[in-house]
Amino acid sequence: MRSSMLFFIFFVIGYQQMLAQKPLEKVVDSHYKEDQFYIGVTYNLFGNRPIDLSQNGFSNGIHLGFIKDMPLNPRRNVALGLGLGYSANSFYHNLHIRQDENQITTYDIILESGSYTKNKFSNHLVELPIEFRWRSSTPEEYKFWRIYTGFKLGYIFRNRVKYRGDLGDVYYTNVKGFEKFQYGFTLSFGYNTWNAYLYYALSPIFAKDNQINGQNIDMNNIKIGLMFYIL
């Protein structure tokens, strides 16, 4: 019994040493998916600005979420992406936004930049990105080129306006003058970690019929920045 036990112990030890010396075969996942989590930072711009309206300070955005990657071909380098995300954005400008007790919003352009120390609005969105994806990836290659283009739907669930200056300090939340539903085209492209990102809104920032000096405010949002993807 003792000799059989010793034989078994030596057999296990010898087998483990043999496995340790044998090179491990690399496992290839033929059903791999890519880039299902994302995080991005952007510089936010106004498009179609009214005359005399300008931006000042650093208007920025932070974006993160999950995209379900659904490959469309056997090589799995062409895919459709459908996701859910969150976006927080701030905009510094010379537009004075006021809301009265009846929640009626009015707008004026401040021509004297030295008359205020802070003037911005910010928003928080739930987003639904839809992407058509091409990449040069393989099951064994984790550094590759990518071009992702698509469409993004968003809903602003909270906005905020802050002003501090000669016209009096104001702080508003959930101002009704903003367009809650946002949508536009997206494009991201790059290699490995670093990817350029562009968002061009087709929807206006402010709700329909909001005006400055009798003219509609048809501004939209343009975002330029970097996008980082995680498996």
Side-chain angles (χ1 to χ4, degrees):
M1 183 70 177
R2 182 177 296 178
S3 60
S4 299
M5 181 66 69
L6 290 173
F7 174 79
F8 177 75
I9 292 173
F10 284 122
F11 174 79
V12 171
I13 293 173
Y15 184 71
Q16 288 178 337
Q17 290 177 344
M18 181 183 69
L19 289 177
Q21 295 173 358
K22 184 179 179 180
L24 296 176
E25 295 182 0
K26 190 173 183 179
V27 177
V28 177
D29 182 7
S30 60
H31 297 286
Y32 74 99
K33 297 179 181 180
E34 295 287 1
D35 299 341
Q36 298 200 95
F37 293 92
Y38 67 88
I39 181 169
V41 291
T42 59
Y43 177 64
N44 298 337
L45 299 165
F46 292 145
N48 301 319
R49 290 181 302 171
I51 297 174
D52 294 328
L53 194 150
S54 62
Q55 290 186 250
N56 47 67
F58 185 73
S59 301
N60 60 83
I62 299 175
H63 322 279
L64 53 91
F66 172 82
I67 294 182
K68 176 67 174 177
D69 188 76
M70 297 173 284
L72 300 176
N73 63 335
R75 183 181 164 184
R76 306 178 77 82
N77 70 320
V78 177
L80 183 68
L82 179 63
L84 182 65
Y86 163 78
S87 177
N89 304 272
S90 63
F91 303 84
Y92 292 85
H93 49 83
N94 68 335
L95 182 66
H96 188 230
I97 302 173
R98 290 173 293 181
Q99 182 174 265
D100 63 19
E101 61 275 6
N102 298 316
Q103 295 188 323
I104 296 175
T105 308
T106 57
Y107 310 87
D108 293 293
I109 294 177
I110 305 172
L111 297 178
E112 298 181 9
S113 59
S115 64
Y116 60 90
T117 57
K118 175 173 285 190
N119 189 27
K120 75 167 188 174
F121 65 81
S122 58
N123 58 40
H124 300 264
L125 299 90
V126 175
E127 297 186 319
L128 178 67
I130 304 169
E131 296 180 346
F132 179 77
R133 304 174 137 201
W134 174 89
R135 56 208 173 214
S136 62
S137 63
T138 68
E140 298 174 305
E141 181 59 55
Y142 298 101
K143 295 181 179 180
F144 50 83
W145 291 95
R146 61 171 63 80
I147 301 175
Y148 297 165
T149 183
F151 195 77
K152 183 177 283 187
L153 304 171
Y155 177 78
I156 297 177
F157 63 87
R158 179 179 172 83
N159 65 55
R160 182 173 60 183
V161 172
K162 277 187 177 183
Y163 172 85
R164 185 180 299 125
D166 294 348
L167 299 175
D169 296 353
V170 297
Y171 178 89
Y172 305 122
T173 58
N174 298 325
V175 177
K176 289 188 175 182
F178 291 91
E179 177 59 57
K180 288 190 173 183
F181 290 96
Q182 296 289 308
Y183 52 90
F185 293 118
T186 61
L187 173 67
S188 59
F189 60 92
Y191 178 77
N192 194 22
T193 302
W194 300 94
N195 300 273
Y197 176 78
L198 172 66
Y199 169 81
Y200 185 89
L202 299 177
S203 55
I205 294 175
F206 296 99
K208 187 178 179 181
D209 298 330
N210 282 284
Q211 296 184 339
I212 299 177
N213 299 326
Q215 295 184 348
N216 289 340
I217 311 174
D218 295 324
M219 285 195 306
N220 66 332
N221 187 202
I222 301 170
K223 301 176 184 180
I224 301 172
L226 294 173
M227 190 65 67
F228 305 90
Y229 293 99
I230 307 170
L231 180 64

